[in-house]
């Protein structure tokens, strides 16, 4: 199974992907998480990528695309993959098509999460992440059981550097509107997009969206 999850920052991609991975036994391939791991470990890739990420800019394709190809070929990816954070430009979407063609694979579904803009900015500011297992929490709407501690692995939660900076938040949303939204059009033309609303004020949360997607996927498999 190959899924792509899209939606602006703070719509709940990480949370929904996490649920889908647990339920479907597939791997979450998050380009942002791979970059952050490399930054933490100070690898060459990490040092290079951090120049862009700290500013909220996209990392160049020469770095990003081979990194995704390598992850797609890993053993963990064999059971299925949910791509989170890639593709982010139409050019990346075309490169992904090429990559999949070479591997005799295709995208089963593109999940598009939709949330009101005022909610997502708030959610980025209140987001906390586990640096160890990558689980995502929110100090307002998805609190960990023990304050500041990851439910899944007990590690101290942190705030992403690019969530601390208003400039980086605004840059990322702007890139989403100008460069990533067209990717959605690209997939809509192929007829593989499933829209899912996540609106806190309407009490439509990530778990509901995830449940609905799983139902839809059963139909796809049939
Ligand atoms: P967000 O969606 O909140 O920006 P991510 O964790 O998906 O967070 O990505 C963090 C940063 O990593 C992005 O702002 C960007 O700098 C970089 N990044 C992630 N995915 C890509 C990609 N497909 N192409 C280029 N840069 C990327
Ligand atoms: Zn954890």
């Amino acid at each position: 199974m190959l899924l792509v999850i899209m939606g602006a920052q703070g719509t709940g991609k990480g949370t929904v992907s996490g649920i889908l991975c647990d339920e479907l036994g597939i791997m979450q391939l998050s380009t942002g998480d791979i970059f952050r791991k490399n930054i933490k470990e100070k690898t060459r890739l990490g040092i290079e990528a951090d120049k862009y990420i700290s500013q909220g800019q996209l990392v160049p394709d020469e770095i990003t695309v081979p990194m995704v190809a390598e992850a797609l070929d890993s053993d963990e990816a064999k059971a299925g993959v949910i791509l989170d954070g890639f593709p982010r430009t139409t050019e990346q979407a075309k490169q992904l098509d090429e990559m999949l063609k070479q591997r005799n694979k295709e995208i089963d579904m593109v999940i598009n999460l939709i949330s009101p803009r005022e909610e997502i900015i708030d959610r980025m500011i209140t987001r906390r992440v586990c640096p160890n297992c990558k689980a995502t929490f929110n100090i307002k709407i998805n609190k960990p059981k023990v304050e500041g501690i990851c439910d899944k692995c007990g590690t101290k939660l942190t705030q992403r550097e690019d969530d601390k900076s208003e400039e980086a938040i605004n840059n990322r949303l702007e890139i989403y509107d100008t460069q990533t939204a067209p990717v959605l059009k690209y997939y809509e033309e192929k007829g593989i997009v499933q829209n899912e609303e996540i609106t806190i004020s309407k009490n439509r949360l990530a778990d509901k969206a995830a449940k609905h997607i799983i139902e839809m996927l059963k139909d796809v498999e049939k």
Side-chain angles (χ1 to χ4, degrees), residues 7-127:
Q9 286 75 10
T11 47
K13 287 188 298 273
T15 310
V16 172
S17 314
I19 300 173
L20 294 178
C21 289
D22 290 348
E23 294 288 320
L24 304 169
I26 58 178
M27 175 182 98
Q28 179 175 11
L29 201 173
S30 159
T31 41
D33 282 348
I34 304 176
F35 284 137
R36 280 185 288 277
K37 182 167 182 269
N38 277 279
I39 291 170
K40 202 173 146 200
E41 290 169 359
K42 298 198 169 66
T43 66
R44 262 176 75 177
L45 184 137
I47 291 164
E48 192 53 33
D50 195 30
K51 294 179 194 161
Y52 303 89
I53 294 179
S54 58
Q55 307 294 315
Q57 286 162 5
L58 292 183
V59 179
D61 284 355
E62 301 83 73
I63 302 175
T64 309
V65 174
M67 183 180 90
V68 171
E70 195 187 314
L72 278 178
D73 290 336
S74 67
D75 280 344
E76 299 96 295
K78 287 206 173 94
V81 170
I82 181 161
L83 275 170
D84 169 2
F86 186 92
R88 271 174 131 94
T89 61
T90 315
E91 177 55 33
Q92 288 185 356
K94 288 180 181 159
Q95 297 219 32
L96 176 63
D97 281 349
E98 200 49 48
M99 241 186 258
L100 295 178
K101 208 161 112 196
Q102 286 167 8
R103 291 164 176 77
N104 240 333
K105 286 183 183 158
E106 56 178 39
I107 300 171
D108 294 288
M109 188 189 276
V110 175
I111 300 154
N112 179 41
L113 302 182
I114 304 167
S115 300
R117 199 41 66 111
E118 61 283 8
E119 284 194 7
I120 65 181
I121 294 175
D122 194 44
R123 257 138 75 189
M124 284 157 90
I125 296 167
T126 51
R127 165 159 66 189

Side-chain angles (χ1 to χ4, degrees), residues 130 133 150 153:
C130 173
C133 76
C150 176
C153 73

Side-chain angles (χ1 to χ4, degrees), residues 176-212:
Y176 181 80
D177 289 338
T178 55
Q179 302 194 47
T180 309
V183 178
L184 207 56
K185 263 206 193 103
Y186 178 82
Y187 287 134
E188 268 162 2
E189 279 161 19
K190 293 176 186 272
I192 51 173
V193 176
Q194 171 64 34
N195 288 314
E196 284 294 332
E197 186 189 336
I198 299 190
T199 303
I200 309 303
S201 58
K202 288 193 203 164
N203 200 26
R204 191 173 170 83
L205 308 184
D207 54 341
K208 253 189 223 163
K211 224 184 214 166
H212 188 227

